[in-house]
């Protein structure tokens, strides 16, 4: 993996492969329809950057800081995204659906607190200790994702799909889950928030 310096302030249709930006400070750079393959952004600071229709494949963005950066129609596949505060990014003033897609990613210890995430795709991921407090995840797809230790509080999960998801603890009294889909046996976890006794 090689280090590189970005000379331009805007890139379109570029492919970046095996580039090491660990600890780098990238400011005000725009990426349009770019691909990042096996790149490292570990502990990098991304200030006022723009990622529009970009794809990250096999990248490591753990502990990256998204200071005022925007992400529109961005997908992550087989990426490591541990410890990211997604609330630090710049989100559009008009709520737009389907802005982020995660597939087979590690998202542990990240925060989506209060974000509008309708139609979010987070499939076959590991989302341990992730904070979804007050997030709007309506119509989201959480297929086969492991939510061990994740926090759902005052979250909007209307028509979200948790099919084959595991280890979630969702209080049906403090979260909106109308029309959401769950699979057995993990769906039994939804009953734990109720004052009832479950017997075999």
């Amino acid at each position: 993996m090689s280090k590189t310096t970005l000379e331009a302030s805007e890139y379109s249709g570029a492919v970046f492969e095996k580039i090491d930006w660990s600890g780098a400070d990238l400011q005000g750079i725009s990426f349009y329809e770019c691909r990042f393959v096996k790149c490292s952004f570990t502990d990098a600071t991304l200030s006022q950057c723009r990622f529009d229709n970009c794809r990250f494949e096999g990248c490591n963005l753990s502990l990256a800081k998204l200071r005022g950066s925007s992400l529109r129609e961005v997908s992550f596949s087989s990426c490591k995204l541990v410890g990211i505060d997604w609330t630090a990014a710049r989100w559009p003033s008009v709520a737009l659906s389907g802005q982020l897609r995660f597939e087979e990613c590690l998202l542990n210890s990240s925060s989506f607190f209060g974000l509008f995430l309708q139609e979010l795709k987070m499939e076959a991921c590991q989302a341990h200790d992730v904070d979804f407090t007050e997030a709007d995840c309506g119509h989201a797809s959480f297929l086969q994702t492991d939510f061990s230790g994740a926090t759902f509080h005052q979250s909007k999960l209307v028509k979200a799909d948790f099919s084959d998801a595991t280890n979630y603890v969702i209080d049906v009294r403090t979260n909106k889950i109308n029309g959401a889909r769950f699979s057995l046996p993990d769906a039994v976890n939804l009953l734990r928030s109720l004052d009832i006794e479950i017997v075999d």
Side-chain angles (χ1 to χ4, degrees), residues 7 13 15 33 38 57-60 85 100 110 128 140 149 154 167 174 191 195:
E7 303 295 340
V15 178
E33 298 182 350
K38 297 182 179 179
E57 304 168 14
C59 295
N60 189 346
D85 180 5
L100 294 175
S110 297
H128 294 183
Q154 301 293 339
N167 298 317
T174 60
L191 301 176
D195 186 19

Side-chain angles (χ1 to χ4, degrees), residues 8-10 25-31 46-50 69:
S9 61
E10 184 176 308
D25 189 357
L26 307 181
Q27 297 190 29
I29 303 174
S30 297
F31 301 92
L46 308 176
S47 299
Q48 308 299 322
C49 292
R50 179 172 180 173
S69 290

Side-chain angles (χ1 to χ4, degrees), residues 1-173:
M1 190 174 289
S2 60
K3 291 276 188 179
T4 190
T5 301
L6 295 172
E7 303 295 340
S9 61
E10 184 176 308
Y11 295 85
S12 180
V15 178
F16 301 93
E17 189 167 0
K18 297 183 179 179
I19 304 298
D20 185 6
W21 282 299
S22 299
D25 189 357
L26 307 181
Q27 297 190 29
I29 303 174
S30 297
F31 301 92
Y32 300 95
E33 298 182 350
C34 293
R35 284 179 64 214
F36 300 87
V37 182
K38 297 182 179 179
C39 296
S40 177
F41 292 86
T42 304
D43 205 28
T45 300
L46 308 176
S47 299
Q48 308 299 322
C49 292
R50 179 172 180 173
F51 298 90
D52 195 332
N53 250 327
C54 292
R55 181 170 177 82
F56 293 80
E57 304 168 14
C59 295
N60 189 346
L61 292 91
S62 294
L63 301 177
K65 303 169 187 67
L66 307 175
R67 295 178 180 170
S69 290
S70 64
L71 302 99
R72 180 180 176 274
E73 297 290 336
V74 177
S75 66
F76 300 88
S77 176
S78 300
C79 291
K80 190 174 182 181
L81 302 138
V82 175
I84 295 180
D85 180 5
W86 295 91
T87 69
R90 180 165 57 89
W91 298 88
S93 54
V94 177
L96 300 174
S97 301
Q99 297 299 295
L100 294 175
R101 296 184 295 277
F102 303 97
E103 182 181 1
E104 297 182 346
C105 292
L106 292 177
L107 293 149
N108 300 344
S109 303
S110 297
S111 176
F112 294 96
F113 185 101
L115 295 181
F116 182 87
L117 300 170
Q118 284 206 9
E119 297 182 13
L120 167 72
K121 303 292 184 186
M122 187 179 290
E123 299 177 349
C125 293
Q126 186 180 102
H128 294 183
D129 303 308
V130 173
D131 190 359
F132 292 97
T133 300
E134 297 181 15
D136 186 342
C137 300
H139 300 270
S141 177
F142 293 125
L143 300 176
Q144 299 180 331
T145 291
D146 181 355
F147 289 104
S148 179
T151 300
F152 293 94
H153 180 68
Q154 301 293 339
S155 306
K156 296 179 181 178
L157 306 171
V158 176
K159 295 188 177 180
D161 193 347
F162 285 84
S163 297
D164 296 320
T166 59
N167 298 317
Y168 48 81
V169 177
I170 299 173
D171 190 328
V172 298
R173 299 167 301 178

